[in-house]
Amino acid sequence: ETGVTQTPRHLVMGMTNKKSLKCEQHLGHNAMYWYKQSAKKPLELMFVYSLEERVENNSVPSRFSPECPNSSHLFLHLHTLQPEDSALYLCASSQWTSGNEQFFGPGTRLTVL
Amino acid sequence: QQQVKQSPQSLIVQKGGISIINCAYENTAFDYFPWYQQFPGKGPALLIAIRPDVSEKKEGRFTISFNKSAKQFSLHIMDSQPGDSATYFCAASSSNTGKLIFGQGTTLQVKP
């Protein structure tokens, strides 16, 4: 266990559904991240939060909407997704954003039908 | 300039052999170079990391070699074991942004 948990572990949704991914870290970190991992591609950084403030939005489509209510929790709200959005979504946390080890959760395997 | 290029894409090594994975970068502002290991069904986990003030770092059977002038770094796994079979990612970041840029990953299979 890395101290970062994600729920659900697997999610199948239709293109018209609305769902949310949840991440929780128990490490006392103050930075949290969302990554997308697709087959044969590098991990893609989607969003960065530092002290609950979004500091990076890496040109992610608006159908992905992050929320960070406090430094321990991070959500990714999903709506009207496309089949190409099917991927493993990873959450990570670190102590600050600069040059520190990021601890990853196990990910949510998302399938969009 | 933000890319990190990783090779090979896949690697098969016999038990006891040496596994070598290479990465190259362009951005000279990068000053933190970690390697992550990912098993199926798990998220990536930090394996070993290096900063450019040293040319080599060793932790057990895992060694990072760093060549600042060539802008390359590599992971060597000595005495490779079947339990090392996983996907390995190199990454790089700069202190300015802290943003990790990942390589494409190498799938390592160690045959018994």
Side-chain angles (χ1 to χ4, degrees), chain A residues 9 33 35 37 40-43 45 56 58 88 90 97-107, chain B residues 9 32 36 38 41-46 51 89 93-100 102-105:
Chain A
R9 295 293 310 276
Y33 311 77
Y35 286 88
Q37 186 175 28
K40 310 293 184 185
K41 293 177 72 174
L43 274 75
L45 179 65
E56 178 130 5
N58 218 23
L88 182 68
L90 292 160
T97 57
S98 178
N100 291 295
E101 178 181 358
Q102 292 184 20
F103 292 78
F104 284 83
Chain B
Q9 188 173 341
Y32 175 64
Y36 281 81
Q38 185 177 25
K42 303 276 189 179
L46 181 68
R51 294 190 187 271
F89 294 92
S93 71
S94 71
S95 299
N96 292 339
T97 67
K99 179 179 173 179
L100 274 177
F102 284 87
Q104 288 190 293

Side-chain angles (χ1 to χ4, degrees), chain A residues 2-99:
Chain A
T2 63
V4 180
T5 59
Q6 290 187 243
T7 55
R9 295 293 310 276
H10 300 272
L11 178 62
V12 179
M13 58 187 290
M15 290 191 286
T16 58
N17 292 158
K18 290 184 180 181
K19 297 286 184 183
S20 295
L21 309 185
K22 179 183 176 182
C23 175
E24 183 173 0
Q25 59 96 1
H26 310 273
L27 300 169
H29 290 162
N30 45 42
M32 296 187 77
Y33 311 77
W34 280 117
Y35 286 88
K36 177 183 179 183
Q37 186 175 28
S38 305
K40 310 293 184 185
K41 293 177 72 174
L43 274 75
E44 301 171 57
L45 179 65
M46 300 175 72
F47 301 103
V48 181
Y49 277 83
S50 179
L51 294 173
E52 303 143 44
E53 179 181 342
R54 190 191 310 179
V55 297
E56 178 130 5
N57 175 347
N58 218 23
S59 302
V60 179
S62 59
R63 58 185 183 269
F64 296 90
S65 175
E67 178 189 2
C68 188
N70 55 62
S71 60
S72 298
H73 294 86
L74 185 65
F75 294 89
L76 188 63
H77 304 299
L78 317 171
H79 65 98
T80 58
L81 295 191
Q82 306 297 311
E84 59 264 29
D85 297 323
S86 299
L88 182 68
Y89 288 86
L90 292 160
C91 172
S93 72
S94 67
Q95 187 63 19
W96 305 112
T97 57
S98 178

